[in-house]
Amino acid sequence: MTTPQLSEKARELIPKARIVSFVTWQDTHSAEAIQCFQTADDQGRYLTDEDLQLIQQQAPRTAGLVPIAQELRDRANEIVEEARIQVLNQFPAITQPGGSLYPNERASACWRDFWHFLRCVTYGIAGHRTDYTSQEGVHYMGLLYEELQVPLDAMIVGLEGIKAASLRRLNSEQQVLIAPYFNHLIERLNVLL
């Protein structure tokens, strides 16, 4: 099966649709720590144990949240799977012919986005900053989703599912600390509706 070609507009929007930004973090993080976050984001990966150790050394106030970021990173696949199931339960025809996540390549791209949403949230958690998104990047992501006809309502349900699945893995005190990091991204996506 061949993958559908992206439109010229979609190809132009993809590099602009980077939803993470660390520009406001200079007051709490060293240039070295910010570069560590930026490199991970540029590579589209979660922070490694080495990254997190460096961040803890550079910004000791983040120490209490780093283990939570590690836990969510290490359980990302199962968290995303739970969110995927929640979307499929709420939108049972979404991956069927005529559904907005059909064919399978479209659905797979959305599940991948869930993995990346969780990755972005873990950056905020590890950095102890809820201001981890770029307003401009989120705007362009909205335009990209519109161009690709991605069902934003289902993506928000998925992000809420990621939040719920993540919080289930934490104790009640941790849940209170971590919920705002998810809420920040959920609020940013809700604005796009």
Side-chain angles (χ1 to χ4, degrees):
M1 178 178 285
T2 60
T3 304
Q5 294 294 318
L6 291 173
S7 69
E8 181 64 33
K9 183 176 180 183
R11 285 195 298 273
E12 289 173 11
L13 289 170
I14 287 171
K16 296 177 181 178
R18 294 190 59 164
I19 66 170
V20 174
S21 174
F22 309 106
V23 297
T24 61
W25 290 25
Q26 295 169 353
D27 60 333
T28 57
H29 290 75
S30 69
E32 188 178 5
I34 291 172
Q35 186 56 52
C36 191
F37 282 104
Q38 190 63 61
T39 299
D41 187 46
D42 290 346
Q43 296 173 357
R45 64 171 172 80
Y46 283 79
L47 296 161
T48 65
D49 287 343
E50 293 77 20
D51 294 332
L52 292 168
Q53 185 176 9
L54 172 78
I55 290 161
Q56 263 184 289
Q57 291 167 353
Q58 298 287 320
R61 71 184 199 89
T62 67
L65 296 181
V66 164
I68 298 170
Q70 286 174 306
E71 173 76 8
L72 298 179
R73 174 202 68 198
D74 293 346
R75 300 182 78 180
N77 290 338
E78 63 191 67
I79 290 168
V80 168
E81 178 61 16
E82 286 182 32
R84 185 186 74 80
I85 290 168
Q86 185 172 336
V87 168
L88 294 175
N89 285 339
Q90 192 157 339
F91 302 92
I94 201 166
T95 58
Q96 303 303 315
S100 53
L101 293 184
Y102 181 85
N104 189 48
E105 293 81 17
R106 284 183 59 80
S108 295
C110 288
W111 313 144
R112 241 184 340 271
D113 281 0
F114 288 178
W115 187 89
H116 285 291
F117 287 156
L118 180 58
R119 174 180 63 84
C120 296
V121 171
T122 65
Y123 293 167
I125 293 168
H128 205 270
R129 298 285 299 249
T130 54
D131 58 337
Y132 59 87
T133 57
S134 159
Q135 187 169 351
E136 182 180 15
V138 172
H139 168 74
Y140 282 116
M141 184 187 72
L143 294 176
L144 178 63
Y145 276 8
E146 186 178 307
E147 175 68 15
L148 298 175
Q149 299 177 340
V150 174
L152 193 54
D153 56 345
M155 298 304 283
I156 292 170
V157 166
L159 186 51
E160 289 170 348
I162 290 167
K163 174 186 173 183
S166 297
L167 294 181
R168 274 195 295 277
R169 287 157 172 80
L170 305 172
N171 66 44
S172 58
E173 185 179 301
Q174 292 171 324
Q175 290 174 4
V176 171
L177 289 173
I178 299 311
Y181 298 92
F182 289 96
N183 295 342
H184 172 77
L185 189 54
I186 291 167
E187 288 164 11
R188 288 295 182 118
L189 263 61
N190 269 317
V191 169
L192 300 175
L193 279 176

